[in-house]
């Protein structure tokens, strides 16, 4: 089911419904998911979809950007954990 601008609601054989955007970056087809329906409604899926389209228009891979942000958060959590562990030890 197409929502417009490339955003689709995909229904899997299991019955799961996912907001998905298929796009091309450097000539390669990629997919980006925006959550499961009905937890994420159409309006909530359109906002990050529009932001991702803007990144793509600027020549940035939106999925690569999302992965880089997730990795940065993981590193931040690890650093905080190391700080906490070192402050607890005598």
């Amino acid at each position: 089911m197409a929502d417009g601008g490339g955003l689709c609601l995909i229904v899997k054989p299991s019955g799961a419904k996912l907001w998905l955007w298929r796009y091309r970056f450097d000539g390669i087809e990629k997919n980006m998911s925006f959550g499961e329906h009905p937890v994420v409604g159409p309006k909530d899926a359109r906002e990050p979809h529009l932001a991702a389209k803007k990144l793509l228009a600027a020549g940035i891979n939106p999925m690569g950007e999302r992965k880089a942000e997730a990795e940065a958060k993981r590193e931040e959590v690890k650093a905080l954990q190391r700080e906490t562990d070192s402050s607890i030890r005598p």
Side-chain angles (χ1 to χ4, degrees), residues 18-81:
L18 303 170
W19 292 107
L20 187 73
W21 176 43
R22 290 188 175 120
Y23 66 98
R24 288 195 166 279
F25 185 77
D26 283 341
I28 300 169
E29 186 174 321
K30 307 217 177 242
N31 296 317
M32 189 171 190
S33 174
F34 297 102
E36 188 175 352
H37 180 74
V39 175
V40 176
K43 183 179 178 183
D44 295 328
R46 287 181 193 126
E47 291 172 7
H49 173 242
L50 180 60
K53 284 178 69 171
K54 287 180 181 178
L55 285 174
L56 184 62
I60 300 168
N61 180 0
M63 208 47 215
E65 187 72 14
R66 181 190 276 183
K67 288 178 181 179
E69 288 174 6
E71 181 61 28
K73 284 181 183 178
R74 277 193 293 275
E75 291 300 320
E76 187 177 318
V77 167
K78 285 180 186 178
L80 287 172
Q81 185 64 40

Side-chain angles (χ1 to χ4, degrees), residues 6-18:
L7 184 63
C8 298
L9 183 64
I10 303 294
V11 181
K12 301 249 179 178
S14 65
K17 298 172 187 162
L18 303 170

